[in-house]
Amino acid sequence: MFRKTLKKDPELFQNVSEGLRKLYRTKLFPLEDTYRFHDFHSPALEDADFDNKPMVLLVGQYSTGKTTFIRHLMEQDFPGMRIGPEPTTDSFIAVMHGEQDGVIPGNALVVDPKKPFRKLNAFGNAFLNRFMCAQMPNPVLESISIIDTPGILSGEKQRISRGYDFAAVLEWFAERVDRIILLFDAHKLDISDEFSEVIRALKNHEDKMRVVLNKADQISTQQLMRVYGALMWSLGKIINTPEVVRVYIGSFWAQPLLVPDNRKLFEAEEQDLFLDIQSLPRNAALRKLNDLIKRARLAKVQAYIISSLKKEMPSVFGKDSKKKELIANLGEIYQKIEKEHQISPGDFPKLEKMQELLNGQDFTKFASLKPKLLESVEDMLANDIARLMAMVRQEESAMPSQVVKGGAFEGTMTGPFGHGYGEGASEGIDELEWVVGRDKPTYDEIFYTLSPINGKVSGNAAKKEMLKSKLPNTVLGKIWKLADVDKDGYLDDEEFALANHLIKVKLEGHELPASLPEHLVPPSKRGIALQE
């Protein structure tokens, strides 16, 4: 009894990466290995998979601006970079941080234990000759790595074989990256068969997927609306889910806008995309945890499928015919497992792909069900993962400043070209005069019709006037709190003007500040605001 209690004591981990690595090696890997998970789904994970920086995978048809997008983010050329209207990038290029500029060829890259690419060896020489790592000292690459991919071909060109399974390579990367960015060209929006196949191969990773509609400055607003609608319709058909993938519209390069009408939209979209990419280092541990849970669920299903097939096999005669019968009836086996073990249909691998892979397997060598292996994974999901989740939060709070820095990310952070600078509540931030003073004469006229007493209007009188804006009470309540600077429950002429200014800010579609910015504090109240 005493020994059993000792065994159940929770294991202590130094950090999340170490915890994930140990759990994988001791609890999940034995299950994967026993039931041939690596032959059917994905190669075993290596130590580098748990320690590597967040990775961003760029996918798109040729000439959609993938390589230019990377150059735009880093504001620097990278070794091996080629840009042109024809299919120029014919290789997978992992753009990573290094002390000196240089290129590591694919065959050398897959034997480096510090890089997370060793299992790509399985795709053979045809792929490895088209794979390399570009290293360079760039501040953006200190936080993330970027994978540039060959342009996906359209029309006749796609029939030329690449010599390796392009969709399978992309799926391998998709499992390990933190963000997948699909790039589309706004003025040639044809989605080729190969691109459709690629998007379907990435279907299990929709949570990582973002879409960029690039070169949107080359068409008018009306055309852009049509193109955006056509893109959403096409993606809906390919991905075949009711949830909409987030689409960022813009022109992601450092050149003047050809049609500048939508400049504000492009700036807001670029800012949103940059914030999404900047958050990756902070959420990297959580992503790895999430991916391990997904992998564990699939490994459990794999164990049930393989053991069910083993159980059905005859011990002596008729093995081949029984194998064919089992493969043909795999859908029924799925349903049986689903009911018996209460597994969601979404956790099962694709039926056609599984049937194809089973054809080349010897069913007699499959392992029967080993409850201890499954219990170990169940314990990992029920207990160990919960403890690691708490550690993720602790690590995040200990390192709140983990964001991508440098390159294009610096230009939009501060100064007059920062996103939203001088707009909404920030209007007048760098002016000497109080910005509310411009419209104060108009607000004063309304103020004096409310019969102020001792130079102030009551909350009730101000409320009647503020309600004319038709803004909800929750918003007007916040405006009141911001405008009543001295917190006396009344508004003087300056505070009343400030309240109206904030109403105007909100009606123009901007957000209200959490606290009153210094430049909006009424001149007569600046001492009070500073004391608070």
Side-chain angles (χ1 to χ4, degrees), residues 68-77 136 138 140 254 274 406-412:
T68 308
F69 180 84
I70 298 173
R71 204 219 163 281
H72 177 59
L73 288 187
M74 301 194 306
E75 294 184 342
Q76 189 181 345
D77 290 351
M136 57 192 293
N138 184 286
V140 172
F274 281 6
F409 298 101
E410 296 294 310
T412 55

Side-chain angles (χ1 to χ4, degrees), residues 383-395:
N383 303 310
D384 300 314
I385 293 292
R387 286 189 297 112
L388 278 180
M389 190 72 85
M391 280 184 75
V392 167
R393 296 289 169 228
Q394 286 168 11
E395 281 189 12

Side-chain angles (χ1 to χ4, degrees), residues 77 120 134 202 206 218 240 251 288 352 376 383 422 472 505:
D77 290 351
L120 282 168
L202 304 177
E206 283 150 346
Q218 299 183 9
N240 201 22
S251 178
K288 285 170 187 166
E352 298 81 9
S376 185
N383 303 310
V505 164

Side-chain angles (χ1 to χ4, degrees), residues 227-380:
V227 167
Y228 179 78
L231 174 63
M232 297 309 285
W233 183 80
S234 302
L235 285 174
K237 277 181 71 180
I238 297 165
I239 298 173
N240 201 22
T241 56
E243 292 83 17
V244 178
V245 184
R246 173 66 164 100
V247 177
Y248 299 92
I249 303 167
S251 178
F252 295 91
W253 67 338
Q255 300 298 322
L257 300 175
L258 292 177
V259 182
D261 306 5
N262 298 309
R263 185 186 186 104
K264 282 195 126 175
L265 168 69
F266 298 161
E267 284 173 0
E269 292 284 283
E270 183 174 71
Q271 186 69 11
D272 285 355
L273 179 59
F274 281 6
L275 288 172
D276 184 65
I277 295 170
Q278 283 182 302
S279 70
L280 294 179
R282 204 168 50 242
N283 301 324
L286 201 56
R287 192 275 303 166
K288 285 170 187 166
L289 190 65
N290 186 49
D291 282 356
L292 193 75
I293 295 167
K294 270 203 278 190
R295 194 178 172 102
R297 289 166 73 101
L298 183 58
K300 274 172 57 188
V301 173
Q302 174 75 6
Y304 288 130
I305 294 169
I306 296 297
S307 57
S308 295
L309 294 170
K310 169 72 175 176
K311 193 177 168 185
E312 296 293 329
M313 283 298 283
S315 52
V316 187
F317 301 111
K319 290 177 184 176
D320 286 345
S321 58
K322 188 64 178 175
K323 175 181 169 178
K324 283 174 188 170
E325 184 193 321
L326 288 170
I327 291 172
N329 298 332
L330 190 62
E332 289 170 24
I333 293 168
Y334 274 20
Q335 286 174 355
K336 191 180 167 189
I337 294 167
E338 195 184 311
K339 284 176 188 168
E340 204 175 314
H341 302 284
Q342 284 83 49
I343 293 169
S344 162
D347 285 354
F348 284 83
K350 279 183 188 170
L351 187 65
E352 298 81 9
K353 190 182 171 190
M354 198 68 180
Q355 285 171 322
E356 191 186 318
L357 290 166
L358 283 168
N359 271 318
Q361 296 285 333
D362 182 353
F363 285 22
T364 56
K365 290 182 179 171
F366 284 175
S368 52
L369 198 63
K370 295 180 179 174
K372 277 193 176 178
L373 288 176
L374 282 157
E375 279 167 24
S376 185
V377 171
E378 289 288 2
D379 178 58
M380 177 187 95

Side-chain angles (χ1 to χ4, degrees), residues 24 32 37-38 41-46 48-50 52-57 115-120 123 145 147 168-180 202 205 208 284 287-288 291 294-295:
Y24 177 70
E32 288 184 359
F37 182 90
H38 310 131
H41 305 292
S42 173
L45 297 177
E46 304 249 317
D49 290 312
F50 298 103
N52 67 315
K53 291 171 189 165
M55 293 195 285
V56 178
L57 177 70
K115 298 273 192 297
F117 305 123
R118 279 161 60 106
K119 297 292 178 182
L120 282 168
F123 291 103
S145 300
I147 314 292
V169 173
L170 278 178
E171 199 170 353
W172 186 94
F173 276 109
E175 279 179 26
R176 287 155 178 79
V177 300
D178 297 69
R179 187 65 75 239
I180 301 163
L202 304 177
H205 309 284
K208 300 176 181 180
R287 192 275 303 166
K288 285 170 187 166
D291 282 356
K294 270 203 278 190
R295 194 178 172 102

Side-chain angles (χ1 to χ4, degrees), residues 506-519:
K506 189 65 187 170
L507 289 174
E508 286 174 354
H510 301 287
E511 290 302 316
L512 293 170
S515 57
L516 195 65
E518 211 174 303
H519 71 280

Side-chain angles (χ1 to χ4, degrees), residues 37 85 105 219 282 364 403 426 444 460:
F37 182 90
I219 56 175
R282 204 168 50 242
T364 56
V403 292
S426 301
D444 282 351
N460 196 40

